Amino acid sequence: MALYAKAAEILEKVERHEGAVKTLVYASKFSNIKQLFALVCETRKFSAVLQEIILASKLLKSSKLKMHLAQVLVYDLLLGQGLKCGGSWKALLMKQRSRLQSELARMKVRQKVSRNEDLLASSANQSEADLLPRYVRVNTLKTTVEDAVDYLKREGFSYRGEASTLDELTLKGREFVKDLHLPQLLVFPPKTDFHQHFLYKAGHLILQDKASCLPAFLLDVVPGSHVIDACAAPGNKSSQLAAAMENRGKLFAFDLDAKRLSTMATLLLRAGVTCQHLAHQDFLQVDSQADIYREVDYILLDPSCSGSGMVCLQDPGSSPSTSPDQLEGRLRALASFQLRCLNHALTFPRLKRLVYSTCSTYRQENEDVVSACLQHNPAFRLVDVLPEWPERGLHPVRECVRASVKKSRTQGFFVAVLERHHPAGHVTPLERHHPAGHVTPLERHHSAGHVTPPLQTSSLVDGRCVSHQGDDITAAAHNTTTKKKKKKKKKTAKGEQ
């Protein structure tokens, strides 16, 4: 019974826009996260269908159940793998089973379909998520893209090569292509299931939406570097960073939720990651000046957000229960937290590149946060990335990248890349040490009128290394030849005497 109660609670919170499904599921600390997540997502997918069946059967009136609880129970009874509870709820649903099944059958007759899935296709409430391709990232810590492609081809999949346009991501049957932007990403038709596939279970393939792959890809880390994943769980981005690092260097990963961090440790183990340093800690409390982080030069910051871009978690048929004022207040609070995280990340002394990302479509959490941060951190600037990407950030930060179902065939996402630079008027440490008018010892030694000798260099002459100053090697070679001739004349003169 706990499973259904918790699922109903999460559905209610999502409807009130209190968080994204994945965030709420992991925060629930439920014993079987995977089971809970699947039930919530599937119930939301069939939400309009379930609601129509429940209302037509008058289940709420006869049982006094609330809609969200009724939906998860009816989903498992009619569309899932059967009820997983006993007690009064099961007795109640079994008593109403015939009526519920009759309403489902009538719906199929009216819509002239035979399968449960076809009810979604013919429903006006079909989710945009049903149109998204299945993206699969090849884990290069365990295999190569070429080997993964060969394995899948031997299994009967039809490889169509590397896509060159977004239109080529429209696939059917067992077709698949390599993505046109991310070289480690393979693309399959929507809803292609890999959860029971050997390559997925062995950690060779990782199920990750294309937009979610962008932050780690654009951070562009170098093997052997020190990297921070500031809000790391559940760990897909961390495993992608480790692959780019080739498991060399140090990957510091922080998360406040111990349960999520434990799940992340399991995921990284399966992915073959060995360079990680996991910490159950609030990133805002991390001391950026500590010795352990003195060599950190890359940071990926993907903080908590509204989750408004995650179309797989949206229900187009539901009416928003949050007022505009409530939503505005929540966005202000989130943006304030996100800005604090971003400002804190930029205090790491050796940092040279940072990626800030959200799965939000709201400007307040994206362009506004980045703009406010840049105003207070003049040592950093935006990098114009992926110029061929179809959707850019809103004015005035067009260098950023946005993603959406319609324009990029992904979940809704936002990515900004910041790099350290020295703007005009910036004073370097050396200039600070030697202010204007200061005369260095070298300058004092070479007083006015002194001519500094040309820079001494060396070159090969007749197979030997010869030092010379400023003039070309011909002069040095000429002087050497002249000396040899003089010595030869002296020897000849002595011989004659």
Side-chain angles (χ1 to χ4, degrees), residues 26 229 231-239 251-255 258-270 276 278:
Y26 277 98
D229 190 350
C231 307
N236 279 341
K237 295 182 185 69
S238 292
S239 69
L251 175 58
F252 300 99
F254 303 95
D255 204 272
K259 184 86 172 179
R260 283 163 59 91
L261 208 60
S262 175
T263 303
M264 176 178 172
T266 303
L267 184 149
L268 295 183
L269 178 65
R270 185 175 65 185
Q276 78 276 23
L278 305 187

Side-chain angles (χ1 to χ4, degrees), residues 62-218:
S62 60
S63 65
K64 298 184 180 179
L65 291 172
K66 292 186 177 180
M67 177 58 79
H68 296 111
L69 180 56
Q71 283 182 323
V72 293
L73 289 168
V74 172
Y75 169 80
D76 253 2
L77 177 67
L78 298 183
L79 310 176
Q81 299 179 352
L83 287 172
K84 303 175 184 67
C85 69
S88 58
W89 288 351
K90 184 171 185 177
L92 176 65
L93 266 292
M94 296 308 291
K95 185 178 178 181
Q96 301 289 334
R97 184 175 183 177
S98 296
R99 184 184 298 179
L100 292 167
Q101 287 177 330
S102 296
E103 293 300 335
L104 175 60
R106 289 192 188 97
M107 183 182 291
K108 288 180 178 179
V109 169
R110 284 197 306 271
Q111 299 186 11
K112 299 178 181 180
V113 298
S114 57
R115 300 182 309 158
N116 295 332
E117 291 76 12
D118 295 333
L119 291 171
L120 293 174
S122 58
S123 170
N125 296 308
Q126 182 184 12
S127 169
E128 285 184 313
D130 296 327
L131 307 176
L132 283 177
R134 162 67 78 187
Y135 293 102
V136 177
R137 179 169 61 82
V138 177
N139 178 15
T140 54
L141 289 177
K142 288 201 165 186
T143 188
T144 64
V145 174
E146 291 73 21
D147 286 349
V149 168
D150 287 343
Y151 189 100
L152 292 165
K153 285 165 64 177
R154 289 196 300 271
E155 283 198 331
F157 285 92
S158 178
Y159 182 52
R160 300 301 186 192
E162 183 174 343
S164 57
T165 66
L166 287 175
D167 289 339
E168 292 178 14
L169 303 187
T170 302
L171 303 163
K172 58 184 180 180
R174 294 175 70 80
E175 295 176 339
F176 75 107
V177 296
K178 188 191 295 186
D179 185 66
L180 65 161
H181 296 112
L182 280 69
Q184 282 84 41
L185 207 61
L186 302 179
V187 190
F188 296 81
K191 304 298 179 185
T192 304
D193 189 10
F194 279 94
H195 287 93
Q196 300 304 317
H197 196 280
F198 164 74
L199 292 181
Y200 169 74
K201 290 184 173 182
H204 291 218
L205 299 180
I206 293 175
L207 307 183
Q208 188 174 357
D209 184 72
K210 179 176 178 176
S212 177
C213 294
L214 285 174
F217 174 73
L218 293 175

Side-chain angles (χ1 to χ4, degrees), residues 457-468 473-485 487:
T457 59
S458 61
S459 301
L460 286 176
V461 178
D462 297 332
R464 295 179 295 110
C465 183
V466 179
S467 296
H468 57 97
I473 193 66
T474 307
H478 173 74
N479 291 337
T480 304
T481 306
T482 304
K483 289 179 181 179
K484 285 181 178 179
K485 287 181 177 179
K487 287 182 180 180

